[in-house]
Amino acid sequence: MNVTSKPMGGGKPQMPSSSLPKLVPGPVGQQIHSIYIERLGQFTSNGQYSSQNLQAAMYEGRASGDEYVKLQVYSPPNLTRPTFDEATSHEFKDTHVGASFGPSWSTHWIRIELKVPRKLQCKERLEFLWDADNEGLIWTEDGEPLQGLTGGGKRRIEWILPDSFRDGKSHRFYIEMACNNIMGNAIGDIIQPPPPNRYFQLKLADIVAVNLEARALFLDFWIIGDAAREFPQDSWEEHQALQICNEIMDTFIAGHGTQDSILQGRQIARKYMSNVDSSKVYESEKEPHVYAIGHCHIDTTWLWPWAETKRKIARSWSNQCDLMDRYPEHRFTCSQAQQYKWLEKLYPTLYDRVKSKVKEGTFQPIGGSWVEHDTNLPGGESLVRQFLYGQRYFESRFGERCKTFWLPDTFGYSSQLPQLCRLAGMGRFFTQKLSWNNINNFLHTTFSWVALDGSQVLCHMAPDNTYTAEADFGDVNRSITQHKSMDQDNTGLLVFGYGDGGGGPTSEMLEKLRRCRGLSDKTGRLPRVKMGDSVDDYFARLEKKAENGTQFATWYGELYFELHRGTYTSQANTKWNNRQCEIMLHEIEYLATAATLRDSNYQYPKKGIDDIWEDVLLCQFHDTLPGSSIELVYHDSDELYAQVFKAGEKLLKDAMSALELNTSTSHESELKAVSTLPWGRVEIAKVPDSEEYALVSGGPGMASVEKLTGNGTSTASIEELENGTFQLSNEQFRIMVEKGAIISLVDLSEDRELIPRGQKANQLVIFDDKPLYWQAWDVEVYHLRSRQELLPSKSYIVEKGPHIVSLCTETKISEDSWIKTTISLAASVGQRPSYIEMSSEVEWRETMKFLKVEFPVDIRNTEASYETQFGINRRPTHYNTSWDMAKFEVCCHRWADLSEAGYGVSILNDSKYGFATAGNMMRLSLLRAPKAPDAHADMGRHHFRYAILPHAGTLDYRTVRTAREFNHPFKLFHGSPTPSNTFSAMRSIQLTGSPALVLDTIKRGEDDEDVSRGELPSRKGRSVILRIYESLGGKARGCICIDRDVLAVKKIEKVNLLEDDGEDLVLEDDMCDITFANQGNCKIELRPFEVATFRLQL
């Protein structure tokens, strides 16, 4: 390389010139990276340098005290929550900053007279700051709710003052103060039971003039500082971010913190990010990878009661309407029809404001369900009604149904949800809860989730692993770096906003996202975020990719949550109430439908049924029914369930009266029985208010009742063989009981012993139950190491037969707890499967214990079967892999079964959901005793039943039907003779064919003109809706048989869950298994585990 050059035309060579000084002015050291990173905190912290850093420049002026902010208070008595009109009609008394307000859950109305001083009237932005460490709602003097306030940690303490307040005059408004913070009232650990006497101190009530440029620089610095902290240290982007931040600090210091130095700092920030001062930052054509959507997850109950949730909705949603006015890009999505209905009723003007935003497309309803419900515990028809009532509400109020099922915070997802979603008009599903798994990491982010019947929905789980992101730099970055499905799609949803206790996005979050986008466009490396789209827009792009050939990974069956397994058992009384309500509603709809067919003057009680369903669906919220809420919630739900049962009993009485099934107190009147199950059945039942028994047979509808004498051909017997050992037997079984446990169970027809030698069934066991943290939620695998058998104190014969024999065993659990278990065996009746029933009465006063009952059986299989909604989940009985072991406690509904080729054993229950099968040990979970968040969870008296159902052959319809019969006993009563047209009305629709087909629900059409409540357009004529499902997992054919003398059916349609017009089916005249004089038949075929809905148009 030449180091010299000759000038043109010759001459002496010259050295090249250089801008670098020849002599070094002084030494320059290498920056110590960690020190300069740590320095960044000095610029924005509230610590020892706050008087010298940017914090000192955040406000241009401040006013407080009675001259400018005069405070008065009205404190309603007895923890009441009065309306605005009620509260403001009372006398107010003077109060002040520094005053304390309480106790827990109380309400205080603050009247504020505010006057802006002259020196602040010309400032660009005036805000009122209010911080009482609790929640509040600002109301105008005229009673309009304006905006929520949240003090304490997750703060939203500012309210932008209207320009009309700059006139120097006094202006009045109110703050409705709630004495709870955003996460309830616990002190410290949020899940501990809240104290009843918590007080909150008013810390701040000031008028401030905001330096908007200082606030903007704070946010610029925050995001660029995050780039310096979070980008890889070997990247130029990280080093440049650090230099930019230090340059901003140096400029601020050199300029003595003046406004000019702040403006210069903002210009320096532009070297690293584009202009971020408006929504135009999102208008660049560069392809985004992260789609941000505002959200405000409000738990309908959890660490607060329903009454407080209603106010959280108003506080949170009013804030979002305000943000939409200020940030054109802001899109906010919110689920749960129940919450919209509360807002509509309690805050009509705010509801109208929300409705206008929905019309504009900025406030976006989502989810299609009544609440964000648990999906493990509700019955199948309950899941249907969550969607039916949710979608109908959204359609009736906003003109559209939801397309995406939104359920980010539920404790596992039922295997039939994809099918039900599709039948409710939703092909998309969003969640994230499986990111909480504490054993295995779930494999996918975006995937196709497949139900038991093969139906699929497109599922996306937020890669940031939260639905309450704070829209930080790291949230945007993790939305791609934690994405597990990048081979198929490289985009992710970022769901941001304070949640659980409400709040939603803040202006700060929206500003941070603008800066993240500006950084991505100017510098790069950070995934590009976009606002302005909806969740449906996001899924539409995914669906387009699938349409164009992208094959998303598939996941078949349940999305089992590897945490919170204790929720299958906690708050047993609530679970019992839910099961009984589901049974009652089934009976009401069946009998009311039959009554409308028989009596044209009877009005189908649509409003009454709707009200009950909505209350039951409300209690199925994912922190209520699972048992993970505070004690106050269960006081409220117990009261609501009591109201539901009272209302339901009236509807049942009215329907039976219309059917002329009037009950009588006279035992001389005829003994009657009704069955609402869709098949004939027979059983021995106790006569009401009597010690007598009767043989009841028949159904569906009316059944015959024959009082039993002691001369029956089939009997049950009991005897004490030796001290403490008893034998119970009937024609099917011989049972040996020793110390309350079954040591032998022989199937006589099969000559088969079912209890392994030396083992004991119906053995009560207790475990130490101390999970890692979430007490009411979790049970950990190590609890199995603490197993202790409970030894009985005595056993004695209760009933000696010949129709039923019973043996009671009393067991002392501890000084304060005991259990009485009665083992009963009825005489065999015809071909009816016989089972061994256990009924228990428990006084439960334990601390962090778990009560279960064990059934070791001489059956071997690597899988056990568990009833779920409209189907069966099959789960491992071994621990081969961590995925297998994670299912050490699972959910079942009415039965669990372990079968091998040729034989099996089912365990039935009337209100229990937790179960485990390890090897040949079947274990039903009975009661827990967590102490947080409800210190008295499950304490008190309990009654429940369970049974052992051995069966020759593999699992089949006998278990499905017997479990239903176990939960739906015959309704026996005394009354006058039954009219023939009542008998006909109750039997006018029957299902024949494969016994795997279950006619689950009979009801009237939602929009029949004689039923409709006017929320949606009515349908001419009358109709009957049937819900049928295949229960065993195979293709099944059947026939809907109709008595045309009772039902003048014009046509039959196969419809969806929302009862939209569907596929017309053929109604034939040929006979099937049941013969009516004037019969119509419709042949049907269902795929494995299909749920099908049919409309019979009359």
mmCIF file of all heavy atoms in Angstrom, residues 240-271:
data_model
loop_
_atom_site.group_PDB
_atom_site.id
_atom_site.type_symbol
_atom_site.label_atom_id
_atom_site.label_comp_id
_atom_site.label_asym_id
_atom_site.label_seq_id
_atom_site.Cartn_x
_atom_site.Cartn_y
_atom_site.Cartn_z
ATOM 1 N N GLN A 240 -25.068 0.849 22.101
ATOM 2 C CA GLN A 240 -25.553 2.158 21.698
ATOM 3 C C GLN A 240 -26.615 2.663 22.664
ATOM 4 O O GLN A 240 -26.642 3.855 23.004
ATOM 5 C CB GLN A 240 -26.111 2.118 20.285
ATOM 6 C CG GLN A 240 -26.530 3.499 19.781
ATOM 7 C CD GLN A 240 -27.075 3.478 18.364
ATOM 8 O OE1 GLN A 240 -27.129 2.432 17.739
ATOM 9 N NE2 GLN A 240 -27.460 4.633 17.860
ATOM 10 N N ALA A 241 -27.506 1.780 23.129
ATOM 11 C CA ALA A 241 -28.525 2.191 24.089
ATOM 12 C C ALA A 241 -27.891 2.735 25.357
ATOM 13 O O ALA A 241 -28.334 3.760 25.916
ATOM 14 C CB ALA A 241 -29.438 1.009 24.414
ATOM 15 N N LEU A 242 -26.841 2.083 25.828
ATOM 16 C CA LEU A 242 -26.170 2.538 27.034
ATOM 17 C C LEU A 242 -25.539 3.912 26.820
ATOM 18 O O LEU A 242 -25.616 4.786 27.698
ATOM 19 C CB LEU A 242 -25.112 1.514 27.459
ATOM 20 C CG LEU A 242 -24.357 1.833 28.753
ATOM 21 C CD1 LEU A 242 -25.332 1.964 29.926
ATOM 22 C CD2 LEU A 242 -23.337 0.733 29.052
ATOM 23 N N GLN A 243 -24.940 4.126 25.658
ATOM 24 C CA GLN A 243 -24.326 5.424 25.391
ATOM 25 C C GLN A 243 -25.376 6.518 25.285
ATOM 26 O O GLN A 243 -25.190 7.635 25.793
ATOM 27 C CB GLN A 243 -23.508 5.348 24.096
ATOM 28 C CG GLN A 243 -22.369 4.337 24.129
ATOM 29 C CD GLN A 243 -21.513 4.453 25.377
ATOM 30 O OE1 GLN A 243 -21.009 5.543 25.708
ATOM 31 N NE2 GLN A 243 -21.352 3.340 26.081
ATOM 32 N N ILE A 244 -26.510 6.219 24.642
ATOM 33 C CA ILE A 244 -27.578 7.197 24.515
ATOM 34 C C ILE A 244 -28.085 7.610 25.894
ATOM 35 O O ILE A 244 -28.262 8.807 26.192
ATOM 36 C CB ILE A 244 -28.737 6.623 23.671
ATOM 37 C CG1 ILE A 244 -28.310 6.434 22.220
ATOM 38 C CG2 ILE A 244 -29.982 7.497 23.776
ATOM 39 C CD1 ILE A 244 -28.155 7.700 21.447
ATOM 40 N N CYS A 245 -28.305 6.638 26.752
ATOM 41 C CA CYS A 245 -28.820 6.942 28.091
ATOM 42 C C CYS A 245 -27.836 7.796 28.881
ATOM 43 O O CYS A 245 -28.238 8.763 29.558
ATOM 44 C CB CYS A 245 -29.123 5.655 28.843
ATOM 45 S SG CYS A 245 -30.601 4.810 28.283
ATOM 46 N N ASN A 246 -26.585 7.450 28.823
ATOM 47 C CA ASN A 246 -25.598 8.239 29.555
ATOM 48 C C ASN A 246 -25.454 9.639 28.975
ATOM 49 O O ASN A 246 -25.238 10.610 29.711
ATOM 50 C CB ASN A 246 -24.257 7.511 29.578
ATOM 51 C CG ASN A 246 -24.186 6.462 30.682
ATOM 52 O OD1 ASN A 246 -23.877 6.772 31.830
ATOM 53 N ND2 ASN A 246 -24.504 5.221 30.334
ATOM 54 N N GLU A 247 -25.614 9.762 27.666
ATOM 55 C CA GLU A 247 -25.571 11.090 27.052
ATOM 56 C C GLU A 247 -26.750 11.940 27.516
ATOM 57 O O GLU A 247 -26.608 13.138 27.776
ATOM 58 C CB GLU A 247 -25.576 10.963 25.532
ATOM 59 C CG GLU A 247 -25.414 12.293 24.816
ATOM 60 C CD GLU A 247 -25.408 12.161 23.292
ATOM 61 O OE1 GLU A 247 -25.420 11.024 22.786
ATOM 62 O OE2 GLU A 247 -25.424 13.206 22.612
ATOM 63 N N ILE A 248 -27.916 11.348 27.638
ATOM 64 C CA ILE A 248 -29.085 12.076 28.143
ATOM 65 C C ILE A 248 -28.828 12.558 29.563
ATOM 66 O O ILE A 248 -29.114 13.716 29.910
ATOM 67 C CB ILE A 248 -30.338 11.180 28.076
ATOM 68 C CG1 ILE A 248 -30.763 10.942 26.626
ATOM 69 C CG2 ILE A 248 -31.483 11.798 28.871
ATOM 70 C CD1 ILE A 248 -31.866 9.899 26.464
ATOM 71 N N MET A 249 -28.276 11.678 30.396
ATOM 72 C CA MET A 249 -27.988 12.063 31.774
ATOM 73 C C MET A 249 -26.957 13.188 31.827
ATOM 74 O O MET A 249 -27.117 14.156 32.584
ATOM 75 C CB MET A 249 -27.491 10.850 32.569
ATOM 76 C CG MET A 249 -28.533 9.772 32.775
ATOM 77 S SD MET A 249 -27.921 8.361 33.727
ATOM 78 C CE MET A 249 -27.708 9.098 35.357
ATOM 79 N N ASP A 250 -25.912 13.067 31.035
ATOM 80 C CA ASP A 250 -24.867 14.097 31.027
ATOM 81 C C ASP A 250 -25.436 15.435 30.584
ATOM 82 O O ASP A 250 -25.097 16.493 31.139
ATOM 83 C CB ASP A 250 -23.727 13.677 30.097
ATOM 84 C CG ASP A 250 -22.985 12.444 30.597
ATOM 85 O OD1 ASP A 250 -23.111 12.119 31.799
ATOM 86 O OD2 ASP A 250 -22.305 11.793 29.786
ATOM 87 N N THR A 251 -26.315 15.411 29.587
ATOM 88 C CA THR A 251 -26.919 16.652 29.087
ATOM 89 C C THR A 251 -27.806 17.278 30.149
ATOM 90 O O THR A 251 -27.810 18.504 30.344
ATOM 91 C CB THR A 251 -27.744 16.347 27.823
ATOM 92 O OG1 THR A 251 -26.887 15.779 26.832
ATOM 93 C CG2 THR A 251 -28.394 17.598 27.274
ATOM 94 N N PHE A 252 -28.569 16.483 30.855
ATOM 95 C CA PHE A 252 -29.437 16.977 31.921
ATOM 96 C C PHE A 252 -28.611 17.621 33.026
ATOM 97 O O PHE A 252 -28.949 18.688 33.534
ATOM 98 C CB PHE A 252 -30.270 15.814 32.462
ATOM 99 C CG PHE A 252 -31.259 16.192 33.524
ATOM 100 C CD1 PHE A 252 -32.516 16.675 33.168
ATOM 101 C CD2 PHE A 252 -30.961 16.059 34.877
ATOM 102 C CE1 PHE A 252 -33.454 17.015 34.148
ATOM 103 C CE2 PHE A 252 -31.884 16.399 35.850
ATOM 104 C CZ PHE A 252 -33.136 16.881 35.484
ATOM 105 N N ILE A 253 -27.509 16.951 33.392
ATOM 106 C CA ILE A 253 -26.650 17.478 34.455
ATOM 107 C C ILE A 253 -26.002 18.784 34.008
ATOM 108 O O ILE A 253 -25.971 19.780 34.749
ATOM 109 C CB ILE A 253 -25.592 16.433 34.854
ATOM 110 C CG1 ILE A 253 -26.275 15.231 35.527
ATOM 111 C CG2 ILE A 253 -24.538 17.047 35.764
ATOM 112 C CD1 ILE A 253 -25.358 14.046 35.707
ATOM 113 N N ALA A 254 -25.491 18.788 32.772
ATOM 114 C CA ALA A 254 -24.824 19.991 32.260
ATOM 115 C C ALA A 254 -25.803 21.160 32.167
ATOM 116 O O ALA A 254 -25.420 22.315 32.361
ATOM 117 C CB ALA A 254 -24.219 19.704 30.884
ATOM 118 N N GLY A 255 -27.050 20.868 31.866
ATOM 119 C CA GLY A 255 -28.053 21.923 31.746
ATOM 120 C C GLY A 255 -28.763 22.230 33.035
ATOM 121 O O GLY A 255 -29.766 22.965 33.029
ATOM 122 N N HIS A 256 -28.302 21.656 34.143
ATOM 123 C CA HIS A 256 -28.851 21.912 35.478
ATOM 124 C C HIS A 256 -30.344 21.570 35.557
ATOM 125 O O HIS A 256 -31.088 22.207 36.300
ATOM 126 C CB HIS A 256 -28.620 23.362 35.896
ATOM 127 C CG HIS A 256 -27.186 23.779 35.841
ATOM 128 N ND1 HIS A 256 -26.227 23.310 36.726
ATOM 129 C CD2 HIS A 256 -26.536 24.603 34.968
ATOM 130 C CE1 HIS A 256 -25.049 23.829 36.417
ATOM 131 N NE2 HIS A 256 -25.200 24.607 35.349
ATOM 132 N N GLY A 257 -30.754 20.571 34.761
ATOM 133 C CA GLY A 257 -32.135 20.106 34.834
ATOM 134 C C GLY A 257 -33.159 21.078 34.295
ATOM 135 O O GLY A 257 -34.352 20.961 34.629
ATOM 136 N N THR A 258 -32.753 21.989 33.452
ATOM 137 C CA THR A 258 -33.689 22.962 32.899
ATOM 138 C C THR A 258 -34.584 22.308 31.851
ATOM 139 O O THR A 258 -34.331 21.199 31.392
ATOM 140 C CB THR A 258 -32.925 24.126 32.249
ATOM 141 O OG1 THR A 258 -32.137 23.602 31.170
ATOM 142 C CG2 THR A 258 -32.029 24.827 33.269
ATOM 143 N N GLN A 259 -35.595 23.086 31.458
ATOM 144 C CA GLN A 259 -36.485 22.576 30.419
ATOM 145 C C GLN A 259 -35.742 22.374 29.112
ATOM 146 O O GLN A 259 -36.013 21.418 28.372
ATOM 147 C CB GLN A 259 -37.667 23.527 30.222
ATOM 148 C CG GLN A 259 -38.776 22.979 29.356
ATOM 149 C CD GLN A 259 -39.569 21.853 30.023
ATOM 150 O OE1 GLN A 259 -39.349 21.550 31.192
ATOM 151 N NE2 GLN A 259 -40.472 21.241 29.296
ATOM 152 N N ASP A 260 -34.780 23.237 28.824
ATOM 153 C CA ASP A 260 -33.990 23.056 27.607
ATOM 154 C C ASP A 260 -33.220 21.749 27.644
ATOM 155 O O ASP A 260 -33.106 21.051 26.626
ATOM 156 C CB ASP A 260 -33.011 24.233 27.433
ATOM 157 C CG ASP A 260 -33.702 25.473 26.891
ATOM 158 O OD1 ASP A 260 -34.837 25.329 26.378
ATOM 159 O OD2 ASP A 260 -33.112 26.565 26.981
ATOM 160 N N SER A 261 -32.660 21.389 28.801
ATOM 161 C CA SER A 261 -31.901 20.137 28.892
ATOM 162 C C SER A 261 -32.820 18.938 28.720
ATOM 163 O O SER A 261 -32.413 17.903 28.186
ATOM 164 C CB SER A 261 -31.156 20.062 30.231
ATOM 165 O OG SER A 261 -32.056 19.876 31.317
ATOM 166 N N ILE A 262 -34.055 19.092 29.163
ATOM 167 C CA ILE A 262 -35.034 18.010 28.966
ATOM 168 C C ILE A 262 -35.353 17.867 27.488
ATOM 169 O O ILE A 262 -35.397 16.740 26.950
ATOM 170 C CB ILE A 262 -36.294 18.296 29.795
ATOM 171 C CG1 ILE A 262 -35.992 18.150 31.296
ATOM 172 C CG2 ILE A 262 -37.435 17.347 29.397
ATOM 173 C CD1 ILE A 262 -37.095 18.624 32.206
ATOM 174 N N LEU A 263 -35.582 18.972 26.802
ATOM 175 C CA LEU A 263 -35.874 18.927 25.364
ATOM 176 C C LEU A 263 -34.680 18.370 24.592
ATOM 177 O O LEU A 263 -34.842 17.604 23.629
ATOM 178 C CB LEU A 263 -36.240 20.320 24.862
ATOM 179 C CG LEU A 263 -37.557 20.880 25.415
ATOM 180 C CD1 LEU A 263 -37.738 22.336 24.996
ATOM 181 C CD2 LEU A 263 -38.736 20.042 24.938
ATOM 182 N N GLN A 264 -33.469 18.750 25.000
ATOM 183 C CA GLN A 264 -32.271 18.194 24.354
ATOM 184 C C GLN A 264 -32.194 16.681 24.581
ATOM 185 O O GLN A 264 -31.835 15.924 23.683
ATOM 186 C CB GLN A 264 -31.011 18.876 24.905
ATOM 187 C CG GLN A 264 -30.839 20.320 24.483
ATOM 188 C CD GLN A 264 -29.619 20.950 25.131
ATOM 189 O OE1 GLN A 264 -28.556 20.331 25.214
ATOM 190 N NE2 GLN A 264 -29.772 22.186 25.615
ATOM 191 N N GLY A 265 -32.555 16.245 25.791
ATOM 192 C CA GLY A 265 -32.547 14.815 26.078
ATOM 193 C C GLY A 265 -33.505 14.058 25.180
ATOM 194 O O GLY A 265 -33.202 12.953 24.711
ATOM 195 N N ARG A 266 -34.639 14.668 24.911
ATOM 196 C CA ARG A 266 -35.595 14.015 24.016
ATOM 197 C C ARG A 266 -35.039 13.908 22.597
ATOM 198 O O ARG A 266 -35.268 12.917 21.898
ATOM 199 C CB ARG A 266 -36.924 14.767 24.014
ATOM 200 C CG ARG A 266 -37.655 14.716 25.349
ATOM 201 C CD ARG A 266 -39.137 14.597 25.151
ATOM 202 N NE ARG A 266 -39.493 13.320 24.545
ATOM 203 C CZ ARG A 266 -40.589 13.102 23.833
ATOM 204 N NH1 ARG A 266 -41.435 14.102 23.602
ATOM 205 N NH2 ARG A 266 -40.852 11.924 23.332
ATOM 206 N N GLN A 267 -34.321 14.934 22.165
ATOM 207 C CA GLN A 267 -33.715 14.874 20.832
ATOM 208 C C GLN A 267 -32.630 13.803 20.771
ATOM 209 O O GLN A 267 -32.477 13.111 19.757
ATOM 210 C CB GLN A 267 -33.133 16.242 20.461
ATOM 211 C CG GLN A 267 -34.188 17.279 20.148
ATOM 212 C CD GLN A 267 -35.112 16.822 19.017
ATOM 213 O OE1 GLN A 267 -34.643 16.380 17.963
ATOM 214 N NE2 GLN A 267 -36.421 16.923 19.244
ATOM 215 N N ILE A 268 -31.894 13.653 21.844
ATOM 216 C CA ILE A 268 -30.873 12.592 21.892
ATOM 217 C C ILE A 268 -31.553 11.225 21.791
ATOM 218 O O ILE A 268 -31.074 10.321 21.098
ATOM 219 C CB ILE A 268 -30.044 12.715 23.182
ATOM 220 C CG1 ILE A 268 -29.229 14.022 23.175
ATOM 221 C CG2 ILE A 268 -29.132 11.500 23.349
ATOM 222 C CD1 ILE A 268 -28.633 14.359 24.524
ATOM 223 N N ALA A 269 -32.679 11.072 22.469
ATOM 224 C CA ALA A 269 -33.405 9.797 22.415
ATOM 225 C C ALA A 269 -33.839 9.461 21.000
ATOM 226 O O ALA A 269 -33.955 8.283 20.631
ATOM 227 C CB ALA A 269 -34.622 9.857 23.346
ATOM 228 N N ARG A 270 -34.068 10.507 20.171
ATOM 229 C CA ARG A 270 -34.493 10.258 18.784
ATOM 230 C C ARG A 270 -33.407 9.563 17.972
ATOM 231 O O ARG A 270 -33.670 9.026 16.900
ATOM 232 C CB ARG A 270 -34.869 11.562 18.083
ATOM 233 C CG ARG A 270 -36.072 12.318 18.621
ATOM 234 C CD ARG A 270 -37.399 11.585 18.355
ATOM 235 N NE ARG A 270 -37.648 10.530 19.314
ATOM 236 C CZ ARG A 270 -38.089 10.702 20.538
ATOM 237 N NH1 ARG A 270 -38.342 11.900 20.997
ATOM 238 N NH2 ARG A 270 -38.293 9.680 21.337
ATOM 239 N N LYS A 271 -32.173 9.577 18.462
ATOM 240 C CA LYS A 271 -31.121 8.827 17.767
ATOM 241 C C LYS A 271 -31.379 7.322 17.821
ATOM 242 O O LYS A 271 -30.895 6.576 16.979
ATOM 243 C CB LYS A 271 -29.753 9.111 18.412
ATOM 244 C CG LYS A 271 -29.276 10.536 18.351
ATOM 245 C CD LYS A 271 -27.932 10.661 19.072
ATOM 246 C CE LYS A 271 -27.450 12.091 19.153
ATOM 247 N NZ LYS A 271 -26.154 12.174 19.893
#
